[in-house]
Amino acid sequence: MVSLTGIARNFFKSRWKELDRYDTQGEQMQREVLARLIERAKSTEYGRKHIFETIRSYEDFVRNIPVNTYEELKNDIDRMRQGESDVLWPGRVKWYAKSSGTTNDKSKFIPVSPEGLKHLHYKGGADAVAMYLRNNPQSRMFDGKGLILGGSHAPNYNLPGSLVGDLSAILIENINPIVNLVRVPKKETALLADFEEKRDRIAREAINKNVTNLSGVPSWMLSVLNRVMELSGKTHLEEVWPNLEVFFHGGVAFTPYREQYQQLITSPKMHYMETYNASEGFFGLQNDPSDKSMLLMLDYDVFYEFMDLSGQTAEHTIVPIWGVEKGKNYAMIISTSCGLWRYMIGDTVQFTSTNPYKIIISGRTKHFINAFGEELIVDNAEKGLAYACEQTGAQVLEYTAAPVFMDANAKCRHQWLIEFSKAPNDLAQFAVLLDKKLQEINSDYEAKRYKDITLQQLEIIPARKDLFNDWLKAKGKLGGQHKVPRLSNSREHIDQLLLLNEK
């Protein structure tokens, strides 16, 4: 019998050779990408305004084009949504990925052009499979089905053929029909807007299939898998799907969920592969199972720049890929074939290698706590929680944290609201361990905690079961690619959650 996995492996062999270029030719690939993007978009309205036809180098690019946030591009994007062509990218863009909002808007609408679908998003998915098959010669993943979670979409300004929605829904809607032969659930189920109904229907459709691989956001996938376990009555997931071998995960950090997955799936042949895909593009892949950092994908339709956040001045240095240094915290800036030009994506990364270029996601430019000069980032939080869980046997399902600027006793601290899937026996000990680890890995936090002068020891408030899901549901953000904000300088989110926690 012909193995579909064997056929797929042969198909990807040429790509394996191309990926070897990443070790030595990163700068060359990125210069080629920049030239290609500029040439393609020089006749657009944005290209004419910023004189793309005169751009011959990276230095020209920087002089001609300002760094943008969503607010700077919003009016152009809205015109594109209304049906205008050749604004930020050639032609008419019909698809828009709905992402979490800005200060002024509930949602952002990220253009997804046909070129972006092909050379950003689908290329990333294909490379994830290519790398996995290269690392796992015994894989049989295509001899069964892939369980792929998706969001939903809706009409865009009632324009014919134009839709907005979760990126995952856009990908499913436009996917090659051949892929539907090796995936579950059916398209109608995958695009349901009601996550609770979708969760049950996915579980029922997939439970009797030969599922070999999973793709999705760890938190939402875990919810679906728990429903599968409820329906099956089994103890471990491999009893339902004996050929399950890999979970391609992204969207949120996997650290808080790792132990829960390992308890749910005890098979030694199970693999986990992190992907860095966002509404704006597909940026990174974990190409080495022994290394938690990800290879930055340099030959897609995305040109990268990085803003150094380590300086103390308002003017931060911006460098291309060939100017980065290991260990520094950078805000990522992208230019893509979806018409995003020098766009601040909102993520922060750190380089673990520059030969090849490999990164970890360190947090979000808006998701940090720096109320007292402590500069606590999401990567610190994840490492601190992992340590406290390891020491106590606890398991964290969801969390958020924010500063208490001053209480009735004039005390300042960080307040953590944590939903445990397995609570520690001693919550006070857990708080001490977390606080200790944060001081160990963040010298600014340690300095502010010195003798409790600026910051007192952090406080942990246990969240009731399903608190974060209820909060997301109340905001119409249950399922899809929606995420709980982990850290915030503002108390807006945590105060809403604390009120809901009392109900």
Side-chain angles (χ1 to χ4, degrees):
M1 184 176 178
V2 177
S3 167
L4 290 178
T5 308
I7 296 172
R9 190 183 305 281
N10 289 328
F11 174 79
F12 286 119
K13 281 183 178 178
S14 61
R15 182 56 178 162
W16 294 348
K17 294 179 182 178
E18 292 174 359
L19 290 170
D20 289 337
R21 293 180 61 206
Y22 277 58
D23 290 347
T24 58
Q25 299 180 39
E27 178 179 344
Q28 178 184 336
M29 287 189 288
Q30 275 288 276
R31 289 188 184 276
E32 290 170 357
V33 169
L34 178 59
R36 184 169 71 240
L37 293 175
I38 292 298
E39 176 63 26
R40 185 79 176 85
K42 66 182 182 181
S43 296
T44 63
E45 181 181 309
Y46 195 86
R48 294 193 303 271
K49 179 179 179 181
H50 295 281
I51 329 175
F52 279 19
E53 63 180 14
T54 68
I55 296 177
R56 299 288 183 270
S57 65
Y58 172 66
E59 290 70 26
D60 293 340
F61 176 72
V62 171
R63 279 193 293 269
N64 285 23
I65 304 172
V67 173
N68 293 298
T69 65
Y70 185 78
E71 281 76 10
E72 281 80 43
L73 298 179
K74 178 187 171 184
N75 288 339
D76 286 337
I77 291 174
D78 198 57
R79 289 168 52 209
M80 293 166 67
R81 289 184 63 205
Q82 299 281 0
E84 290 191 41
S85 301
D86 304 318
V87 181
L88 293 172
W89 189 252
R92 181 183 168 209
V93 177
K94 297 182 179 181
W95 291 89
Y96 296 85
K98 190 176 180 180
S99 184
S100 55
T102 66
T103 303
N104 300 318
D105 295 280
K106 182 178 179 181
S107 298
K108 294 183 290 188
F109 299 92
I110 305 300
V112 182
S113 69
E115 292 91 340
L117 270 175
K118 183 177 180 180
H119 299 299
L120 269 174
H121 297 290
Y122 287 141
K123 193 169 184 178
D127 275 350
V129 175
M131 290 181 187
Y132 176 74
L133 293 179
R134 188 180 198 178
N135 290 330
N136 298 278
Q138 305 305 315
S139 171
R140 300 293 299 272
M141 66 174 285
F142 284 108
D143 297 346
K145 303 279 188 179
L147 196 167
I148 303 174
L149 290 191
S152 60
H153 57 58
N156 170 51
Y157 288 146
N158 294 315
L159 293 177
S162 185
L163 295 172
V164 299
D166 295 319
L167 173 69
S168 53
I170 293 173
L171 298 180
I172 288 172
E173 187 67 52
N174 290 279
I175 205 165
N176 189 315
I178 295 175
V179 178
N180 288 322
L181 299 176
V182 292
R183 61 171 291 273
V184 287
K186 59 186 179 183
K187 183 176 174 181
E188 175 190 345
T189 300
L191 297 177
L192 280 172
D194 186 325
F195 180 74
E196 292 171 313
E197 179 187 357
K198 176 190 293 191
R199 170 181 180 262
D200 184 67
R201 285 177 55 172
I202 290 174
R204 293 181 186 277
E205 288 180 28
I207 196 168
N208 294 315
K209 298 289 194 287
N210 177 26
V211 173
T212 61
N213 58 98
L214 311 171
S215 300
V217 177
S219 52
W220 304 125
M221 181 63 76
L222 187 62
S223 180
V224 170
L225 298 183
N226 284 333
R227 182 57 181 153
V228 170
M229 300 308 292
E230 291 170 2
L231 293 172
S232 69
K234 303 295 185 182
T235 305
H236 297 112
L237 196 60
E238 61 265 33
E239 297 175 74
V240 181
W241 298 320
N243 297 314
L244 182 66
E245 59 176 88
V246 60
F247 178 24
F248 300 98
H249 60 85
V252 298
F254 192 55
T255 302
Y257 306 99
R258 185 177 300 278
E259 188 172 344
Q260 294 169 75
Y261 274 91
Q262 290 174 343
Q263 290 179 355
L264 181 64
I265 309 168
T266 60
S267 170
K269 70 178 184 181
M270 186 64 186
H271 302 90
Y272 299 89
M273 183 174 180
E274 185 169 9
T275 64
Y276 182 8
N277 53 328
S279 299
E280 296 85 355
F282 201 118
F283 308 123
L285 284 167
Q286 185 183 6
N287 66 322
D288 181 352
S290 65
D291 183 358
K292 292 182 180 179
S293 59
M294 289 179 284
L295 188 69
L296 192 65
M297 309 312 293
L298 300 178
D299 60 349
Y300 293 8
D301 272 4
V302 53
F303 179 76
Y304 300 97
E305 295 175 273
F306 301 90
M307 178 183 287
D308 185 355
L309 300 179
S310 61
Q312 300 300 314
T313 63
E315 290 295 322
H316 296 286
T317 302
I318 297 174
V319 295
I321 191 73
W322 53 90
V324 300
E325 299 176 37
K326 290 191 292 184
K328 284 190 173 183
N329 206 38
Y330 292 103
M332 198 157 81
I333 300 169
I334 60 170
S335 299
T336 78
S337 60
C338 291
L340 300 178
W341 297 104
R342 304 198 78 195
Y343 178 79
M344 290 274 291
I345 188 175
D347 287 343
T348 60
V349 300
Q350 292 177 357
F351 282 83
T352 61
S353 167
T354 56
N355 188 26
Y357 291 97
K358 301 187 74 169
I359 60 169
I360 59 168
I361 303 170
S362 54
R364 297 278 294 171
T365 54
K366 294 183 180 178
H367 291 183
F368 60 88
I369 304 178
N370 194 29
F372 311 100
E374 65 274 46
E375 296 190 23
L376 191 74
I377 61 176
V378 174
D379 186 59
N380 300 155
E382 299 287 353
K383 288 177 179 175
L385 286 170
Y387 173 77
C389 286
E390 179 185 353
Q391 295 298 310
T392 63
Q395 293 178 12
V396 171
L397 187 62
E398 297 285 2
Y399 73 92
T400 193
V404 174
F405 293 98
M406 193 173 291
D407 62 15
N409 298 312
K411 300 292 186 181
C412 302
R413 63 190 179 280
H414 289 179
Q415 190 175 62
W416 294 65
L417 182 60
I418 302 178
E419 181 178 343
F420 293 96
S421 54
K422 181 181 177 183
N425 292 328
D426 187 338
L427 191 64
Q429 180 198 21
F430 187 93
V432 169
L433 290 167
L434 173 57
D435 190 75
K436 174 185 174 183
K437 191 63 176 179
L438 293 178
Q439 292 185 57
E440 180 183 315
I441 60 181
N442 183 322
S443 58
D444 291 312
Y445 182 81
E446 180 185 36
K448 300 305 178 289
R449 285 282 293 113
Y450 180 69
K451 293 187 177 181
D452 293 350
I453 295 173
T454 303
L455 274 178
Q456 281 70 52
Q457 182 179 296
L458 61 84
E459 172 192 13
I460 295 179
I461 299 175
R464 63 168 173 79
K465 187 177 184 296
D466 292 328
L467 170 67
F468 290 92
N469 278 358
D470 290 346
W471 181 70
L472 288 171
K473 185 178 180 180
K475 291 178 167 292
K477 294 184 176 182
L478 190 63
Q481 294 173 286
H482 300 297
K483 311 163 193 174
V484 173
R486 298 307 198 190
L487 305 177
S488 177
N489 252 359
S490 162
R491 290 194 55 83
E492 177 187 0
H493 301 310
I494 201 169
D495 282 343
Q496 293 173 3
L497 283 155
L498 287 170
L499 283 174
L500 198 58
N501 199 41
E502 297 172 358
K503 296 182 180 179

